[in-house]
Amino acid sequence: MLIGYARVSTLDQTLALQQDALTATGCEQLYTDTVSGSVTDRPGLTQALSHLRAGDTLVVWRLDRLGRSLVHLIDTIRDLQERGVGFRSLQEQIDTTTSGGKLVFHVFGALAEFKRDLIRERTHAGLAAARARGRLFGRPKALSPQQVQQLQTLAKDDRNTVGEICQTLGVSRATYYRHLPEK
């Protein structure tokens, strides 16, 4: 069974072109969304995916109607393949039920993985360069070493309460107890 999915990004756009193409292709059921591609929650897509069974084929007018990104698109198609469901894109003429379509899909997958690896490498290189320049990452310390010394000195004096010390230093009770020397 061919199941079609169509999506437009705004209310100003119309689904008619996509629906006509999917119907002409032989799709018996059509599911639609009017939502930006960057939105995670797409009820029409969720319904289409839930109605697909092994041997069915999901048909879209163009690849960008299905996936939010290349990675999302490849993950979705991979999930379909694991369920025994085919995929067709009418404009790009990709059909994963054929050997040529599988080849094109795997090339896309390899390119997406290559892109992810490049991004990861650039990120690590940027972080290493920032560290070499003395950039610190993570949440700043609540207390400086001098403030820790002051806290410990104040804590030794029994006349000071925990609340007063915390208020003086502007810290929480958890921070206070974290910086006390262990007995």
Side-chain angles (χ1 to χ4, degrees), residues 9-164:
S9 300
T10 67
L11 295 172
D12 297 338
Q13 297 172 331
T14 177
L15 289 162
L17 173 69
Q18 294 178 52
Q19 288 174 322
D20 291 347
L22 294 170
T23 303
T25 302
C27 292
E28 298 174 31
Q29 295 177 350
L30 294 180
Y31 297 92
T32 63
D33 280 318
T34 303
V35 65
S36 169
S38 63
V39 173
T40 305
D41 184 35
R42 294 188 273 168
L45 179 59
T46 302
Q47 284 182 328
L49 294 175
S50 69
H51 283 87
L52 290 164
R53 303 291 177 252
D56 290 347
T57 301
L58 177 64
V59 184
V60 296
W61 184 64
R62 281 187 21 198
L63 286 173
D64 65 348
R65 302 294 87 195
L66 179 63
R68 295 189 316 267
S69 65
L70 183 58
V71 173
H72 177 255
L73 177 67
I74 289 171
D75 289 343
T76 302
I77 295 173
R78 188 170 290 133
D79 289 343
L80 292 174
Q81 285 184 331
E82 288 173 2
R83 293 172 43 197
V85 174
F87 172 76
R88 283 178 59 190
S89 173
L90 301 179
Q91 292 296 305
E92 290 84 5
Q93 298 181 359
I94 295 174
D95 184 350
T96 63
T97 62
T98 68
S99 55
K102 286 179 187 174
L103 172 65
V104 170
F105 171 71
H106 287 294
V107 169
F108 281 171
L111 290 173
E113 186 174 344
F114 176 68
K115 179 181 173 185
R116 282 193 303 267
D117 288 344
L118 283 178
I119 291 170
R120 187 179 307 114
E121 287 173 10
R122 283 195 305 257
T123 301
H124 288 295
L127 291 171
R131 280 190 198 98
R133 288 190 310 273
R135 171 80 163 90
L136 300 176
F137 295 96
R139 185 182 176 123
K141 301 285 184 199
L143 297 174
S144 67
Q146 294 83 10
Q147 288 174 313
V148 170
Q149 183 64 41
Q150 183 182 6
L151 179 144
Q152 291 173 348
T153 303
L154 291 170
K156 288 178 185 175
D157 188 347
D158 292 335
R159 294 176 293 179
N160 297 320
T161 66
V162 174
E164 290 170 341

